[in-house]
Amino acid sequence: MLSELNQIKDLRLQIISLRESVNSGILDETIAVSAENAAMAKIDALKKQYVDRVHVWNERDKHPRTKSRRGKKVEYYMTHIKIGKETKQLSASTLDDLYERLYDHYADGYAPLVDKNITVRGLYAIFIESKRRDAKEYQTIASRTVSNLESDWNRCFENSKIADLKAISVTQRIVLNEYKRLTGNALITRKAFAKAKGLLDAIFDIAVEANLIDFNPSRTLSTKRLRFKLEEDKSKDVYTSKERDILLKYLKEQDKQTVYTLGVQLAFCFCLRVGELRALTWDDYNEESKTLYIWHQIVDRKKDGKNRVATDVPHTKTNTLDGRRLLHVTPEATRILSELRAINGDKKYILNSSGNYPITTQHFDERLRRFCNRAGVRYLSSHKIRFFGATQLFDAGVDPEQIRRIMGHTTLAMTEHYNRTNGEIQVDEEIWNRIFNN
């Protein structure tokens, strides 16, 4: 069983993932807030469980004590901790607060970094430094995510009045006025605003965890009255069936099949992320049962702060069990895999480039662009092939919950983001083969 600290870390990673999903427009903010609140509740319970395991309580510690303050009796809770060779008292007004202070003492939380005069800019500095450490040392997030967060701060808050206010003095009214400044009369899209709000949510979470403030003035604020710029119609931002057919016809007619010509054909047989496609190994493919097990992905991480190196990580993008799924391999996919085995059967990866390394996303997209240009169809990135598969499933009337599982998403809202249908539903009994048996 994972220790409480590891479970807390995993939950915080889930919260980061939720926020990133909201920032990118994949997940609805209301759903994300509900999920985050549930995760925070679990974190609070795990903190108490951790403290109870490592701290030695005396009989009186969990019972309220009383003391006189300005002639009135007030309740408080107190226990003793060891700092080096010394034993010191630790007190709080409530038992929950005492648990928080004990957790900060034993687990080295945010409290030692935060003082009562810290500004919002100071909280951001703590936040972004922790994200840089997550990217560089723990590799739990991509360095690109850190760059995006820095850009969001510079664009939205670097020159704002709220940045230099003391965190303890920021009210919901101040935050709301800040959001009105950002959105104005529909100046930005809801997606752009979600990125800004997600950043401010995370910054004030640090103040809450450090017991500097009682509640997050950004996270609990209603933004229903703000006006947003309309999002662009993205129904055409995906390959059409005609474009798919023309492209695949061109690829199949090539005199010599390569890892890339076959790789593009294989991509259209599933709804995979490009990192999952690159990570496919022959061990993941069960030729007898005609199934493909999706459970890991390739991510490109910077090494020594310079070149990116392909790293095979034992989880998909969501880092949850939802990302693991068993997909049906159609007769067309079987044919493609058979040809790939003839090319790369002695290698680890199905789409192997050289040595024992998988292909790169850059090279895959470069070849895809070249193939599209030669076939006479517009080029869209490899990720839009995943959009195409999802859209076809929606068009065919497949149950959204089934699509969610096929895509490896954690929520239906995330799956809906991939829906680029034009409203014309065409139900077919042989759904999977009709879509993917090209």
Side-chain angles (χ1 to χ4, degrees):
M1 178 182 289
L2 289 174
S3 69
E4 293 90 352
L5 294 181
N6 284 335
Q7 291 182 68
I8 289 172
K9 179 181 178 181
D10 287 345
L11 286 166
R12 282 177 170 162
L13 289 175
Q14 290 179 27
I15 291 174
I16 291 172
S17 178
L18 286 167
R19 290 170 183 165
E20 290 176 345
S21 296
V22 171
N23 291 344
S24 61
I26 295 174
L27 188 62
D28 181 77
E29 183 183 351
T30 304
I31 298 175
V33 169
S34 177
E36 285 186 30
N37 289 340
M40 291 297 291
K42 290 181 181 178
I43 288 175
D44 290 339
L46 286 166
K47 284 181 177 180
K48 290 184 178 180
Q49 184 176 314
Y50 171 75
V51 169
D52 283 336
R53 184 165 60 81
V54 300
H55 181 64
V56 179
W57 293 95
N58 291 324
E59 289 184 5
R60 293 186 60 195
D61 290 350
K62 291 188 178 182
H63 297 283
R65 309 183 189 206
T66 58
K67 61 181 178 181
S68 178
R69 180 183 294 170
R70 295 178 183 178
K72 294 183 179 180
K73 288 186 177 181
V74 294
E75 289 186 350
Y76 72 103
Y77 293 79
M78 186 185 73
T79 188
H80 293 81
I81 57 174
K82 283 190 175 182
I83 301 178
K85 295 182 179 180
E86 297 182 14
T87 299
K88 293 190 175 182
Q89 292 182 352
L90 191 68
S91 61
S93 58
T94 67
L95 185 56
D96 286 342
D97 288 341
L98 185 60
Y99 266 106
E100 281 291 331
R101 296 198 65 186
L102 284 168
Y103 177 81
D104 289 334
H105 168 70
Y106 289 111
D108 190 24
Y110 284 122
L113 304 173
V114 179
D115 64 58
K116 65 180 181 180
N117 293 318
I118 195 168
T119 63
V120 175
R121 190 187 303 279
L123 288 175
Y124 165 73
I126 295 173
F127 167 78
I128 202 65
E129 183 57 35
S130 70
K131 292 296 160 282
R132 290 177 184 140
R133 188 169 61 250
D134 287 341
K136 186 175 181 180
E137 297 180 20
Y138 307 124
Q139 297 184 341
T140 52
I141 62 174
S143 57
R144 188 180 303 171
T145 300
V146 179
S147 298
N148 291 340
L149 289 169
E150 291 173 330
S151 296
D152 291 339
W153 170 266
N154 291 332
R155 184 176 63 257
C156 300
F157 303 115
E158 173 62 26
N159 298 315
S160 67
K161 293 181 180 179
I162 196 174
D164 295 311
L165 292 178
K166 291 182 180 180
I168 58 174
S169 68
V170 176
T171 63
Q172 285 191 321
R173 173 60 62 182
I174 291 174
V175 175
L176 180 59
N177 288 338
E178 187 69 14
Y179 289 157
K180 286 180 178 179
R181 177 188 67 80
L182 285 173
T183 57
N185 187 18
L187 293 175
I188 60 176
T189 64
R190 184 179 294 275
K191 178 179 177 180
F193 170 73
K195 291 182 179 181
K197 184 178 184 301
L199 177 57
L200 216 54
D201 287 349
I203 289 172
F204 280 110
D205 276 347
I206 293 176
V208 173
E209 289 190 38
N211 294 319
L212 183 66
I213 55 178
D214 293 328
F215 69 96
N216 189 322
S218 174
R219 188 175 297 284
T220 55
L221 181 67
S222 173
T223 59
K224 292 181 179 180
R225 294 187 178 182
L226 299 178
R227 298 188 63 187
F228 303 102
K229 183 189 296 184
L230 290 177
E231 300 278 357
E232 295 181 9
D233 180 12
K234 296 182 178 180
S235 62
K236 296 182 180 179
D237 187 20
V238 66
Y239 288 102
T240 65
S241 295
K242 183 178 180 180
E243 289 172 329
R244 185 271 313 264
D245 293 343
I246 293 173
L247 176 59
L248 293 183
K249 183 177 184 295
Y250 166 79
L251 294 173
K252 292 174 184 178
E253 289 176 347
Q254 297 307 297
D255 293 334
K256 182 181 178 181
Q257 293 294 321
T258 67
V259 169
Y260 292 102
T261 58
L262 293 168
V264 172
Q265 294 176 59
L266 188 66
F268 275 102
C269 291
F270 301 98
C271 294
L272 300 180
R273 301 176 178 92
V274 68
E276 296 169 345
L277 181 71
R278 294 169 59 198
L280 290 176
T281 68
W282 292 110
D283 290 337
D284 300 330
Y285 173 43
N286 189 321
E287 194 169 1
E288 184 177 348
S289 65
K290 295 292 186 292
T291 55
L292 199 62
Y293 184 40
I294 311 301
W295 64 277
H296 59 137
Q297 66 174 342
I298 298 292
V299 295
D300 298 314
R301 291 173 172 164
K302 283 188 177 180
K303 188 176 183 180
D304 301 325
K306 297 180 180 179
N307 298 325
R308 289 183 176 273
V309 177
T311 306
D312 197 330
V313 296
H315 58 78
T316 63
K317 186 176 180 180
T318 60
N319 201 10
T320 64
L321 291 178
D322 292 301
R324 299 192 172 194
R325 64 254 196 222
L326 201 63
L327 301 181
H328 172 63
V329 177
T330 66
E332 175 64 8
T334 301
R335 178 194 67 78
I336 298 168
L337 287 165
S338 177
E339 293 193 43
L340 281 166
R341 192 183 287 278
I343 298 174
N344 276 335
D346 60 337
K347 305 292 178 61
K348 176 181 179 180
Y349 294 100
I350 292 176
L351 298 181
N352 212 92
S353 57
S354 60
N356 214 25
Y357 296 97
I359 61 173
T360 67
T361 301
Q362 180 182 352
H363 287 164
F364 187 86
D365 278 339
E366 286 175 353
R367 298 304 197 286
L368 178 59
R369 182 189 295 274
R370 185 184 306 169
F371 299 151
C372 286
N373 290 339
R374 291 177 178 176
V377 301
R378 59 179 179 149
Y379 162 75
L380 297 172
S381 70
S382 54
H383 192 54
K384 289 300 188 264
I385 298 177
R386 178 168 160 86
F387 274 80
F388 171 82
T391 300
Q392 291 293 297
L393 289 168
F394 275 107
D395 265 340
V398 179
D399 178 58
E401 177 60 24
Q402 289 184 329
I403 301 176
R404 182 191 70 79
R405 292 197 293 268
I406 291 169
M407 300 287 286
H409 288 152
T410 55
T411 67
L412 284 172
M414 192 177 295
T415 303
E416 188 62 40
H417 172 68
Y418 284 77
N419 184 359
R420 296 290 189 267
T421 60
N422 59 10
E424 297 177 4
I425 305 299
Q426 298 175 351
V427 179
D428 191 303
E429 291 183 1
E430 300 296 328
I431 292 170
W432 186 273
N433 282 338
R434 184 186 71 77
I435 294 171
F436 296 118
N437 193 34
N438 307 313

